[in-house]
Amino acid sequence: ETSNPSVEAVRSPQKVYDVLIVGAGITGLYQLHVLRQQGLSVRVLEAGGGIGGTWYWNRYPGCRLDSESYTYQYIFHDELLAESEWSELFAGQPELERYINGFADRFDLRRDVQLDTRVESMTFDEARNLWTLRTTEGEDFTSRFVVAATGILSAPNYPALPGLENFEGEIHHTATWPHEPVDFAGKRVAVIGTGASGVQIIPRIAETAAHLTVFQRTPNWAVPLRNRPLDESEMAEIRQGYPALFEKLRGSSNGFVHDWDPTPYAEVSPEDRESRYEELWSRPGFAKWFGTYREIATDREANRTYSAFVERKIRERVRDQSVADELVPTDHPFGTKRVPCETDYYETYNRDNVTLVPLAKNPLVEYTRTGLRTAEGEMDFDIIVLATGFDAFTGALSRIDIRGVGGQTLKDKWRDGPQTYMGVQVAGFPNLLINGGPHGKGGIGNSPRCAEPLIWWLGELLGYMREHGLTRVEADAEAEKLWTAHVNELASTMMSSTVKSYSFGDNVPGKPHVYVAYSGTLPDFITRLRENVESGYEGFSLS
Ligand code: N01
């Protein structure tokens, strides 16, 4: 490992890095480690006051994993794995933030990370094949390559509700949660949003608030997380199984440990099916999603039986069935949107201090000085919590003024939906490499498992270019066209293509209804990346 600057950087009056990485989350930090080991000069620019990305920003009460902790960690380093200790099956935000900080210390990553540095614009210099990144503080950084590790769920989405400036109480978005604890005790609290963040924070707030009002636009099919502590002997057993486990994760669709039930749905009797559903229900995490019969995800009739089962489970937990009526989704079949995992979520609505307001019946109108106005009248709150999610997949990049060849902006190029080649590059934006944006596997599913193949590929590409004295890589327009068509075609076959969700941009006003994720499997993506290296980077022009 070396931190020696490249020859060019030494010659240049202004420091020119080989690579600038934007974002010091789980992806950006590992990318830094890989590229630095190759002897490249790398600097990471991070908007936050600390490292960890998602696990730095989303510090709201109740925030935790829903991938099993030991499937989510970095897996490339034997010693790190031998030392791995997870206190819970699904680690909470503080443990993850500590873990990422420990990782950074172990590999001495901090010296190449600049915190509190938000990139505002990126401009490509065609004559020199260099990017200049300007921060909100007006500082410029120049590099040959940029790796955008900006996250798929990192640009907070705020409701387009007027009057925010009038509200005199406290207001917090779950994704920009303050570092000081927020005290809900005895307070009148509103939560807007019932996605994965909402279902995690709502039960926690209800524990101490004087009153909690939940504003729900669309109910979700949430399933019990069934978290529990891991003790030393169980951890020892888990560590023993690492090689097989990691092999399995690499071979799975989305980096999760659960297996679809291979039994053909049609061959199972209704009684056996029910007992299978019950058995799955008792298991932790996503077993209840990715452990079902495959047909639940593809066949409407199969899905109907499972949706009915989950509906029964929700109704059993909610005392007032008129409230349960509001909590059971009717707009989308189970699993066609991201399924949140919860702990005591549905029971929360049995509490005297909790009220559910379905926005379909009583829409929000505006913020007032003392709270919120709905169609039915004013409600006073001391604290408003926005659990309203993200401008997903494209938002983090579209919010930066990125100018490629001929001054074209990325935002403009993606106006009618993202166009990429393998999610990693956009024609017209040479030397800009994306890990964790639209159309790529990076970050979809179990984030680290899905991001690491591209981290490897980027290492190979940049190593190859350096070896061959190449200074420019750009996706071919034709490759981009084919990949974008491939992504959209895959998406069009999914049951979820008929449902409104952030994966189709539907949660952000004005965003086109176009699939922004990538639904291919992890093994397919890994194979594609390997073949791409073997082919000498087909679909990219290197010069
Ligand atoms: O965001 P979301 P999230 N007025 O978009 C509602 C990951 N994650 O932060 O469904 C009123 O899912 C919106 O309503 P609707 C995970 O991948 C993981 O909860 O659009 N309501 C919805 O109810 C997850 O999927 C964990 O109609 C408005 C909610 O706000 C992703 O992050 C934990 C509104 C937003 O739900 C995003 O989750 C947390 C408005 N104007 C998050 N705008 C883990 O467990 C939006 N809503 C690891």
Side-chain angles (χ1 to χ4, degrees), residues 366-396:
E366 61 178 352
Y367 297 97
T368 64
R369 194 175 62 76
T370 54
L372 291 162
R373 189 191 313 283
T374 71
E376 286 178 6
E378 268 193 52
M379 299 170 93
D380 289 346
F381 297 108
D382 303 304
I383 306 176
I384 297 175
V385 172
L386 303 174
T388 44
F390 302 90
D391 182 349
F393 294 87
T394 52

Side-chain angles (χ1 to χ4, degrees), residues 8 64 84 94 212 216 274-275 296 342-343 412 477 481 542-543:
E8 182 177 26
R64 65 175 61 254
S84 60
L212 167 63
Q216 172 188 262
E274 280 300 302
S275 48
I296 305 289
E342 49 80 28
T343 305
D412 240 11
K481 202 169 131 199
L542 275 54
S543 57

Side-chain angles (χ1 to χ4, degrees), residues 32 99 160 163 189 207 220 289 293 306 331 344 391 412 430 433 451 507:
L32 165 64
Y99 171 77
V189 184
E207 287 167 9
N220 266 302
W289 185 10
Y293 306 108
Y306 195 62
D331 69 315
D344 299 331
D391 182 349
D412 240 11
L433 301 150
N507 64 329

Side-chain angles (χ1 to χ4, degrees), residues 55 60 64-66 153 157 159-160 192-198 200 217-218 220 337-338 359 387-390 502 507:
W55 304 106
Y60 59 86
R64 65 175 61 254
L65 275 175
D66 47 21
L153 295 160
N157 177 41
I192 304 176
T194 54
S197 304
Q200 287 186 331
R217 188 160 70 180
T218 320
N220 266 302
K337 282 166 77 166
R338 174 28 163 106
L359 292 174
T388 44
F390 302 90
Y502 67 66
N507 64 329

Side-chain angles (χ1 to χ4, degrees), residues 151-213:
I152 57 164
L153 295 160
S154 55
N157 177 41
Y158 291 87
L161 204 60
L164 178 59
E165 65 286 359
N166 300 328
F167 180 58
E168 289 178 355
E170 264 183 73
I171 183 158
H172 304 293
H173 194 293
T174 47
T176 53
W177 200 258
H179 282 243
E180 334 55 77
V182 178
D183 185 12
F184 295 105
K187 302 280 174 58
R188 298 160 303 171
V189 184
V191 172
I192 304 176
T194 54
S197 304
V199 306
Q200 287 186 331
I201 198 173
I202 285 165
R204 298 292 303 277
I205 295 174
E207 287 167 9
T208 58
H211 197 90
L212 167 63
T213 307

Side-chain angles (χ1 to χ4, degrees), residues 92-136:
Q93 176 271 333
E95 187 168 4
L96 284 151
E97 194 185 19
R98 275 198 307 276
Y99 171 77
I100 295 170
N101 276 275
F103 170 76
D105 288 336
R106 180 179 190 113
F107 295 102
D108 191 20
L109 300 179
R110 272 179 225 281
R111 64 182 157 91
D112 291 318
V113 178
Q114 183 166 325
L115 300 172
D116 295 311
T117 303
R118 184 175 286 281
V119 174
E120 189 176 66
S121 69
M122 305 187 194
T123 310
F124 187 63
D125 176 344
E126 287 178 64
R128 299 193 300 156
N129 288 334
L130 294 176
W131 280 96
T132 295
L133 277 53
R134 175 158 295 183
T135 72
T136 49

Side-chain angles (χ1 to χ4, degrees), residues 250-266:
R250 267 190 289 273
S252 69
S253 303
N254 293 296
F256 296 120
V257 71
H258 312 285
D259 297 312
W260 292 109
D261 188 325
T263 321
Y265 175 84

